[in-house]
């Protein structure tokens, strides 16, 4: 008996209740999303600040280490007990070469000044050899140094200069005084340190799968160190605005203001990844800290992609899905409300009838598909029996007459050779046609017999070679002496015939190559195959592979679909039974089939259990 139909009052109550639930759900989702996002930002910023502390400490230590190396060089040079006349000899150059060669990618240039700051000498390492530089070439590094004059104005000398830029690269000059035996400073060594090369070699190596990197800016907000070399020397606002005039850099101005007014801090802001050809806006988490190294005053910053690290897009997708479902529910409720006002009883009964009918139609459709597939297989089985019988009747006189002609014209070797080819082809056709009837049956006495798979395969290939198109080259690489537990030779012929036919059809009319290979599986492959079941855990395997250089399997097509009966990608030119027959024979002997499309073309691998020793 059908239940009572819903009334207008009940519909109104349900409508009101649903709206309340929708409102509560939206508020809950929005609050949850905001809470998750804020917690993720806080956690990410704390992690960035910890990482930033490591980067800043490491940066200070590396520059201090390079400065100590320069001081040690200066002391070593002063300690050499050499006459004044030999100061420019090979011994001195060897010490200079040893110093410059230790960090040739970072400090490959050394300049010597006298006590008044006048150029004395300069050396440079290029391609592993030491060269003496002219004053003209070395002067550019001295003129660009904003801190050089402070060395000669009294007071304690600084460890290094502030930053400067030459040829789109950033440098600081390391200083070391030349102290005489009486304690007087007679000059200075100046070693330009390439900050980009030093930072990439010693501090930051971009091996992470995530976006994000550290960078260094000076007090003028010019980029001193950046993974993208084109950014070095740019002002973070005006310089980038010239490169990308259409980008929104308003959040970068907020970042710049925060960094200029705070010693350290964290924040989230919208920016871009500057290594992209067309940068897209992303939400970044950033941490920064000001440090002083010698005369340099820098802000070291570290950023990362907020969404990439916290997987928030997944949550956004869930929220979007929930909102879509809610909107769909609201639309459905309005439709039901309108239909309820018009014809509540008829609509209710009709919807129930349609639901039941749809369910019934779906079940019937699935049943019809299954019956149709089984009917096709049954019909093919019956048709195949008739075809094979008739084909054998057609082939019998061909075989008989060919044999009679060979006997009658035995003295004509050329004719006998051609007749023999006809005879063998007809005999092969008879064997293959008969084989269709028995590919799913295990022959008596076969399961306890071992065969030399290598020899059977060679014989089979030689017999099937006659089917090979002239434009296709068939190569074989068959390891000898591979014994396999019982199988029927004709089954192997059917497998090879179908796989080679597929390979030939894939290559089509163009020139191509098909490679047949048989070898014993290596230890790793055996171990993987033995995991399949308790039956295979103690077995070893041989691998039979057939590789063609055709187009391979189309993208988006699952390998398992290819083994379904009647499934074909060849349209009306394919029956969809080739790989189905191959998989049936493989199942019959517990062989394993694998399709490999990792390379050009397609490789079909069959794993065959070997005979137990």
């Amino acid at each position: 008996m059908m239940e009572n139909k819903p009334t207008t009052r009940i519909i109104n109550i349900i409508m009101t209740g649903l709206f309340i639930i929708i409102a509560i759900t939206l508020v809950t989702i929005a609050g949850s999303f905001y809470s998750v996002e804020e917690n993720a930002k806080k956690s990410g910023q704390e992690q960035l600040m910890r990482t930033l502390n490591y980067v800043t400490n490491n940066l200070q230590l590396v520059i201090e280490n390079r400065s100590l190396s320069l001081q040690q060089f200066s002391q070593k040079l002063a300690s050499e007990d050499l006459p004044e006349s030999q100061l420019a000899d090979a011994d001195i150059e060897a010490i200079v070469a040893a110093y410059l060669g230790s960090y040739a990618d970072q400090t490959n240039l050394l300049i010597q000044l006298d006590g008044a700051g006048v150029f004395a000498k300069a050396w440079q390492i290029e391609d592993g050899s030491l060269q003496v530089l002219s004053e003209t070439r070395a002067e550019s590094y001295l003129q660009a140094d904003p801190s050089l004059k402070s060395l000669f104005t009294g007071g304690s000398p600084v460890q290094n200069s502030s930053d400067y830029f030459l040829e789109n690269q950033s440098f600081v000059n390391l200083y070391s005084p030349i102290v005489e035996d009486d304690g007087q400073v007679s000059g200075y060594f100046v070693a330009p340190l390439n900050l980009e090369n030093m930072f990439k070699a010693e501090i930051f190596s971009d091996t992470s799968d995530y976006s994000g990197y550290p960078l260094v800016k000076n007090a003028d907000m010019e980029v001193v160190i950046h993974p993208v070399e084109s950014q070095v020397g740019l002002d973070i606002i005006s310089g980038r605005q010239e490169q990308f005039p259409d980008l929104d850099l308003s959040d970068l101005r907020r970042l710049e203001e925060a960094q200029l007014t705070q010693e350290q801090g964290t924040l989230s802001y919208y920016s871009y990844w500057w290594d992209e050809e067309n940068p897209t806006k992303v939400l970044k988490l950033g941490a920064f800290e000001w440090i002083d190294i010698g005369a340099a005053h820098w802000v070291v910053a570290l950023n990362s992609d907020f969404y990439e690290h916290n997987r928030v897009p997944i949550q956004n997708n869930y929220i979007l899905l929930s909102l879509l479902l809610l909107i769909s529910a609201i639309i459905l409720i309005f439709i039901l409300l309108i239909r309820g006002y018009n014809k509540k009883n008829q609509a209710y009964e009709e919807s129930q009838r349609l639901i039941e009918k749809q369910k019934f139609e779906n079940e019937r459709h699935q049943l019809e598909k299954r019956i149709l597939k089984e009917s096709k297989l049954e019909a093919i089985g019956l048709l195949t029996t008739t075809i094979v019988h008739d084909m054998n009747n057609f082939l019998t006189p061909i075989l008989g007459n060919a044999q009679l002609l060979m006997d009658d014209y035995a003295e004509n070797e050329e004719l006998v050779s051609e007749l023999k080819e006809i005879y063998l082809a007809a005999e092969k056709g008879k064997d293959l046609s008969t084989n269709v009837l028995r590919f799913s049956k295990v022959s008596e006495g076969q399961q306890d017999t071992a065969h030399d798979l290598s020899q059977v395969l060679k014989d089979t290939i030689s017999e099937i070679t006659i089917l090979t198109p002239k434009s296709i080259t068939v190569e074989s690489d068959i390891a000898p002496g591979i014994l396999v537990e019982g199988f029927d030779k004709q089954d192997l012929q059917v497998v090879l015939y179908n796989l080679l036919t597929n390979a030939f059809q894939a290559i089509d009319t163009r020139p191509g190559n098909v490679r047949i290979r048989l070898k014993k599986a290596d230890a790793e492959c055996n171990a993987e195959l033995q995991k399949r079941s308790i039956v295979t855990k103690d077995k070893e395997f041989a691998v039979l592979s057939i590789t063609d250089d055709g187009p391979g399997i189309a993208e988006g097509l699952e390998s398992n679909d290819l083994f379904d009966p009647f499934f074909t990608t060849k349209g009306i030119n394919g029956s969809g039974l080739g790989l189905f027959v191959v998989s049936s024979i493989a199942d019959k002997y517990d062989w394993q089939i694998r399709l490999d499309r990792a390379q050009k073309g397609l490789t079909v691998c069959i794993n065959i259990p070997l005979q137990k020793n």
Side-chain angles (χ1 to χ4, degrees):
M1 181 177 180
M2 188 165 295
E3 298 178 358
N4 294 331
K5 311 303 184 293
T7 64
T8 302
R9 182 179 179 184
I10 294 175
I11 290 178
N12 290 335
I13 293 173
I14 294 174
M15 187 74 178
T16 304
L18 286 173
F19 272 117
I20 293 173
I21 293 173
I22 290 170
I24 294 173
T25 302
L26 288 173
V27 172
T28 303
I29 290 174
S32 174
F33 175 73
Y34 178 78
S35 176
V36 169
E37 189 175 70
E38 289 302 311
N39 290 335
K41 286 181 181 178
K42 183 178 179 181
S43 174
Q45 289 168 349
E46 290 174 352
Q47 178 64 34
L48 280 177
M49 184 56 74
R50 288 193 293 268
T51 306
L52 179 64
N53 290 334
Y54 164 79
V55 172
T56 55
N57 291 335
N58 205 5
L59 178 60
Q60 290 172 319
L61 288 174
V62 170
I63 295 180
E64 182 178 351
N65 174 269
R66 299 296 177 271
S67 178
L68 289 174
S69 296
L70 179 61
Q71 294 174 21
Q72 290 172 358
F73 157 77
S74 179
Q75 294 169 2
K76 182 177 181 181
L77 193 64
S79 66
E80 291 292 328
D81 188 15
L82 296 172
E84 184 69 23
S85 60
Q86 296 181 2
L87 286 178
D89 283 354
D91 294 328
I92 300 301
E93 293 186 354
I95 299 174
V96 174
Y99 165 70
L100 293 179
S102 58
Y103 302 105
D105 59 330
Q106 302 170 30
T107 53
N108 68 339
L109 175 65
L110 181 65
I111 304 171
Q112 182 181 353
L113 305 176
D114 62 18
V118 177
F119 174 85
K121 200 167 188 178
W123 302 268
Q124 185 176 24
I125 285 282
E126 279 193 9
D127 300 327
S129 62
L130 184 67
Q131 300 178 2
V132 177
L133 284 186
S134 65
E135 181 178 357
T136 304
R137 292 187 59 188
E139 192 67 26
S140 59
Y141 292 91
L142 301 177
Q143 292 177 351
D145 185 346
S147 311
L148 185 63
K149 293 181 179 179
S150 64
L151 291 177
F152 312 103
T153 58
S156 300
V158 293
Q159 169 185 281
N160 56 269
S161 72
S162 58
D163 55 88
Y164 61 90
F165 303 97
L166 283 176
E167 298 178 352
N168 295 325
Q169 292 184 314
S170 56
F171 296 87
V172 294
N173 283 344
L174 303 177
Y175 304 137
S176 178
I178 303 173
V179 182
E180 300 295 335
D181 293 339
D182 58 0
Q184 295 296 317
V185 175
S186 63
Y188 291 89
F189 283 117
V190 179
L193 174 62
N194 188 307
L195 294 175
E196 279 284 297
N197 292 346
M198 177 271 296
F199 199 72
K200 291 178 181 179
E202 306 294 339
I203 299 175
F204 176 68
S205 178
D206 189 11
T207 58
S208 173
D209 292 332
Y210 295 103
S211 301
Y213 46 77
L215 68 153
V216 178
K217 294 175 285 188
N218 59 22
D220 296 327
M221 289 290 107
E222 295 173 329
V223 179
V224 177
I225 298 174
H226 198 286
V228 182
E229 294 183 3
S230 61
Q231 294 292 306
V232 174
L234 290 181
D235 181 276
I236 65 169
I237 303 297
S238 60
R240 289 169 175 171
Q241 197 73 70
E242 290 179 5
Q243 280 190 336
F244 305 99
D246 298 329
L247 298 185
D248 177 15
L249 303 181
S250 57
D251 255 20
L252 283 184
R253 293 186 176 90
R254 183 169 62 87
L255 171 67
E256 181 182 65
E257 181 181 354
Q259 291 179 343
L260 289 174
T261 56
Q262 302 175 30
E263 286 298 317
Q264 64 176 20
T266 59
L267 73 165
S268 59
Y269 61 98
Y270 284 96
S271 183
Y272 305 85
W273 298 123
W274 304 106
D275 55 348
E276 298 177 353
E277 183 176 352
N278 297 306
T280 55
K281 181 180 285 190
V282 295
L283 178 60
K284 294 183 180 180
L285 296 180
F288 64 89
E289 179 181 4
W290 284 93
I291 61 173
D292 292 314
I293 304 178
H297 184 56
W298 293 332
V299 58
V300 183
L302 183 64
N303 57 40
S304 67
D305 191 316
F306 171 72
Y307 291 114
E308 187 177 32
H309 276 278
N310 296 285
R311 305 297 185 225
V312 176
I314 298 177
Q315 296 180 357
N316 286 342
N317 289 336
Y318 283 132
I319 292 173
L320 179 60
L321 178 61
S322 301
L323 292 175
L324 290 175
L325 290 175
L326 289 173
I327 294 172
S328 300
I330 293 172
I331 296 174
L332 180 60
I333 290 171
F334 274 106
I335 292 175
L336 291 175
L337 184 61
I338 295 172
R339 290 174 63 86
Y341 277 111
N342 294 330
K343 290 184 179 181
K344 295 187 295 290
N345 296 339
Q346 294 85 345
Y348 182 81
E349 293 174 358
E350 183 67 14
S351 72
Q352 293 299 315
R353 186 184 68 80
L354 289 175
I355 290 172
E356 292 298 325
K357 182 179 179 182
Q358 183 64 38
K359 182 178 179 181
F360 173 76
E361 290 293 335
N362 288 338
E363 292 176 352
R364 188 177 70 173
H365 179 65
Q366 295 299 325
L367 180 61
E368 287 177 349
K369 286 175 63 177
R370 185 166 61 252
I371 292 174
L372 179 62
K373 183 180 290 188
E374 293 175 355
S375 299
K376 280 186 176 181
L377 290 174
E378 183 179 359
I380 287 177
L382 294 174
L383 181 62
T384 301
T385 303
T386 303
I387 291 174
V388 168
H389 180 269
D390 292 342
M391 184 177 293
N392 287 337
N393 288 340
F394 297 148
L395 292 174
T396 298
I398 294 176
L399 290 169
N401 288 323
Q403 184 63 56
L404 290 174
L405 288 171
M406 284 190 291
D407 293 340
D408 292 343
Y409 296 94
E411 69 283 355
N412 190 336
E413 294 182 0
E414 183 177 354
L415 179 60
V416 168
S417 175
E418 294 177 352
L419 290 171
K420 187 174 182 180
E421 188 173 336
I422 295 173
Y423 182 86
L424 292 176
E427 189 177 51
K428 185 61 183 175
K430 185 175 182 180
D431 291 341
L432 289 176
S433 63
T434 304
N435 216 20
V436 175
L437 294 176
R438 45 156 306 282
F439 79 89
S440 62
K441 299 179 182 179
V442 180
S443 300
E444 295 296 331
Q446 291 293 328
Q447 292 301 304
D448 298 327
T449 304
H451 292 293
D452 185 343
L453 181 61
S454 305
Q455 188 59 46
V456 173
L457 190 58
K458 290 178 181 178
D459 296 342
T460 304
I461 292 173
S462 65
E463 294 174 359
I464 297 179
T465 302
I466 192 174
L467 303 175
T468 306
K470 294 182 178 179
S471 61
I472 297 176
T473 302
V474 178
E475 302 176 356
S476 61
D477 181 7
I478 301 174
I482 296 182
L483 299 180
V484 174
E485 295 178 345
F487 68 92
D488 196 302
K489 299 179 182 179
Q490 292 180 339
D491 283 335
L492 181 62
Q493 292 175 338
V494 172
V495 169
L496 278 178
Y497 174 80
N498 282 284
L499 294 180
L500 287 175
T501 299
N502 283 346
F504 297 158
Q505 291 175 347
I507 297 173
D508 203 8
T509 58
R510 64 181 180 80
N513 295 281
V514 176
R515 183 177 180 83
I516 304 171
R517 188 178 185 185
L518 176 67
K519 65 174 183 177
K520 289 186 178 180
D522 55 29
E524 182 180 355
C525 181
N526 272 326
E528 187 65 28
L529 294 171
Q530 288 168 356
K531 294 178 182 178
R532 279 188 64 207
S533 67
I534 192 173
V535 177
T536 60
K537 70 175 184 177
D538 296 326
K539 292 186 177 182
E540 294 185 353
F541 292 81
V543 179
L544 170 62
S545 62
I546 297 178
T547 303
D548 65 68
D549 54 4
I553 302 176
E555 288 295 331
L557 186 61
E558 295 294 333
S559 299
N560 292 337
D561 294 340
L562 301 177
F563 295 103
D564 289 342
F566 311 115
F567 181 87
T568 180
T569 59
K570 304 169 187 173
I572 61 175
N573 297 322
S575 65
L577 290 175
L579 287 179
F580 171 67
V581 169
V582 172
S583 65
S584 299
I585 293 176
D587 291 341
K588 171 180 172 181
Y589 294 114
D590 198 24
W591 297 349
Q592 301 173 30
I593 302 179
R594 177 173 56 85
L595 302 183
D596 183 5
R597 49 180 173 183
Q599 55 183 334
K600 180 184 178 183
L602 177 66
T603 297
V604 182
C605 295
I606 304 178
N607 302 311
I608 303 174
L610 298 176
Q611 180 189 25
K612 290 183 179 180
N613 294 330

